Structure formats: structure tokens, C-alpha cells
Amino acid sequence: MAMILEGKEVAKHTEQQLLQEIEKLKQNHIKPCLGIIRVGEKQDSISYEKSMIKKCEKYGIETKLATFLENTTKEEILTQIQNWNENSFVHGILLLRPLPYEEELCDAICFTKDVDAMGKENMANLYQGKKQGFVPCTPEACMEILEFYHIPCEGKNIVVVGRSLTVGKPMAMLLLNHNATVTICHSKTQHLAEICQKADILIVAIGKEKYITKEFTNPTQVVIDVGIHRTKEGTLCGDVDFQNVVNHVHAITPVPGGVGSVTTIQLLEHVVLSAKITGGK
Ligand code: NAP
């Protein structure tokens, strides 16, 4: 049986540091605050928003919520973003996807408050290999898991399946910045199983329930499953068929309790960091 890479353990570790930082800010009369924008009534976005607000409350991070109807004009939403950009009591701005006018809205967030690195400026830093600004929380969560379990990336053959702007591409860039040899696969990739099977580390973000089976793996491989799906039975599962794969790899992240558990805490960490840098100004 594979070693299970428990995201919850990684999150617990980060949580300790986070609580200390929040306490220090409190002593300086700064309360970290995250502004959340949702457009439309998509159930997934509402669930994410609720869990985010709950998590923030747990750690003493304030939240502000702005919701818009799906047919709201771009200008109205831009005005809200601008308002929070200029409000020194708001330290982070998160736009929930799916979003209309996505590119323009993401780019409107001041890069110092762009805590999930949705805009071009933070993306550009990552793609240029600069260690400044924020990186997207989900790929960063994958890196945190690898680091926590002392799994080095340098020189490793790492396959990333998925090339979305939110997960696959920034994931590949982060790995490249850590000196991995990276292969990016997508829906047009031929012989996917064969390519995946050769990987030292396999990172999957394709949005297809239990798609990756043991034929894609090897016994010394580390598998990081970014996918998250609610099954017909109401349980959660990943892009990897965990039960099918777990006896055929060296280590694997579970779903739930894997990457997702770390992603949220990374976002809160970014809000606190932003409050630390800009707070009181
Ligand atoms: P996305 O935007 O739909 O992108 C999916 C990517 O996978 C695309 O690049 C697509 O290729 C590729 N793909 C689809 N089918 C494939 C196949 N059969 N073989 C190879 N590649 C295939 O999804 P996303 O936003 O990146 O999210 C991916 C998964 O991660 C989803 O399950 C999502 O719910 C989950 N997620 C989890 C977290 C977390 O914190 N745990 C955060 C964000 C997302 P093309 O480019 O060719 O279409």
C-alpha cells in the first residue's frame, strides 16, 4: 500500500505559523481581511464561498462579500474591485470562478491584493521565474505537500496532466522553477498512459472523475491528485481512481483530505502576508 500524503497534516503545520502571524498582526491592531466577489448563483461557487468564509472566521480573518447577478455590467464589478483596491482595510481580493469578463476582472485586482495570483502581473512573475508576488494557491499547495513529505523535485521527471491557466500551466512553471524536468499533457496528448507511467511524480488536474488508473503509474511513482468531484453517491473523489492505484504507487494524495485541504490555507496565508506587508498603510 502506498504512503498516503495527507493534505490535512500539511495544513495543520501551516496553520500553526498562520495563527502566530495573525496574533502578531492583532497586537498591531491589524485584522486581515479578504474581499470575495461572486457573479451568478452557481452552487459550486456558493459552497466554496461559504467554506472560505467559515475558514476565515475560524482564524480571525475578516471577510467582505460582494455578489452580483449574472447580467451585471463589467463596469459595476470593476468599480467594486477598484473600491477594495483602494481600501487599506482589505488585504486580499478573490474572484470566484466561473466569471464573466474573466481576464479584465482578474487584471483589475491590484497585484499586491491578488492573493490567488489571478492577474497578469503575478502570473508574469511566475513565468519569468521571479520569486516575488503571489503564486496560484492550488499549484502552490501541491508544492507544499511535496516539500512537507521531503519529496524533492530537482532533476525529477514530472508529468503534469492538464494545461489550464489556473492549475496545469502555473503548476508546470513552479516545478520548472524548482529545477524539475517537466512534461505537460492535455486532451490532445497521444499515448498519455505511456508518458505518465514514466514519471517520477505525476500531477493530475484534468477534471475527469477517476480517469487515471494503475496503467498510468509505476511502483516508485508519487501521485498528486488535484481533481475534485462530487460522485452520484454524494461522496468526493479525484481525477485519479484512488482505490485502483493505491497499491501500485509509492505515494499518493487522497481526495478528500489531499490538495484541497492545503489550497484554502495557502490562500489565507497570502491574505495574512498581504496584511503584514500593507497593513496599517
Ligand atoms: P480545466 O480548466 O477544465 O482544465 C482541464 C485540463 O485537462 C485541460 O488542459 C484539458 O486539456 C485537460 N484534459 C481534459 N481531459 C483530458 C484527458 N482525457 N487527457 C488529458 N488531458 C485532459 O480544469 P482545471 O480548472 O484545471 O481543474 C482540474 C481539476 O482540478 C478539476 O477536477 C477541478 O475541480 C480541480 N481543482 C481542484 C482544486 C483544489 O484546490 N483541489 C483547485 C482548482 C481545481 P485541453 O487544454 O486540451 O482541453
Side-chain angles (χ1 to χ4, degrees), residues 138 161-164 166-168 185-188 192 205-208 211 226-229 239 259-260 263:
T138 304
V161 194
R163 58 173 166 184
S164 72
T166 44
V167 190
C185 299
H186 46 78
S187 67
K188 306 290 185 289
L192 182 67
I206 58 176
K208 293 228 155 74
Y211 189 83
V226 181
I228 184 147
H229 309 273
D239 288 346
V259 177
T263 301

Side-chain angles (χ1 to χ4, degrees), residues 17-18 21-22 25 32 61 91 115 267-277:
Q17 296 163 348
L18 191 68
E21 292 297 343
I22 292 171
L25 285 170
I61 295 174
H91 306 103
V115 282
L267 187 88
L268 303 188
E269 210 183 20
H270 290 179
V271 177
V272 169
L273 181 64
S274 169
K276 217 169 122 179
I277 296 169

Side-chain angles (χ1 to χ4, degrees), residues 8-9 20 26-27 31-32 35 48 71 86 103 126 132 134 149 153-154 161 168 171-172 182 196 212 232 253 255:
K8 282 183 185 157
E9 291 304 313
Q20 282 173 14
K26 207 167 140 190
Q27 283 165 11
K31 189 169 189 182
Y48 184 52
N71 59 1
E86 288 163 14
E103 207 179 321
L126 172 63
Q132 62 190 57
F134 294 112
Y149 285 99
C153 293
E154 185 159 318
V161 194
M171 183 76 249
V182 186
C196 292
I212 300 293
K232 275 184 249 145
T253 57
V255 179

Side-chain angles (χ1 to χ4, degrees), residues 75-86:
E75 287 66 31
E76 271 180 84
I77 309 170
L78 283 171
T79 303
Q80 178 63 66
I81 295 173
Q82 204 46 39
N83 187 321
W84 282 347
N85 278 343
E86 288 163 14

Side-chain angles (χ1 to χ4, degrees), residues 36-54:
I36 303 173
I37 290 180
R38 168 168 53 83
V39 184
E41 296 292 323
K42 282 255 161 40
Q43 208 43 56
D44 282 358
S45 306
I46 296 173
S47 307
Y48 184 52
E49 166 194 305
K50 279 189 182 152
S51 80
M52 191 55 79
I53 292 172
K54 216 167 129 193

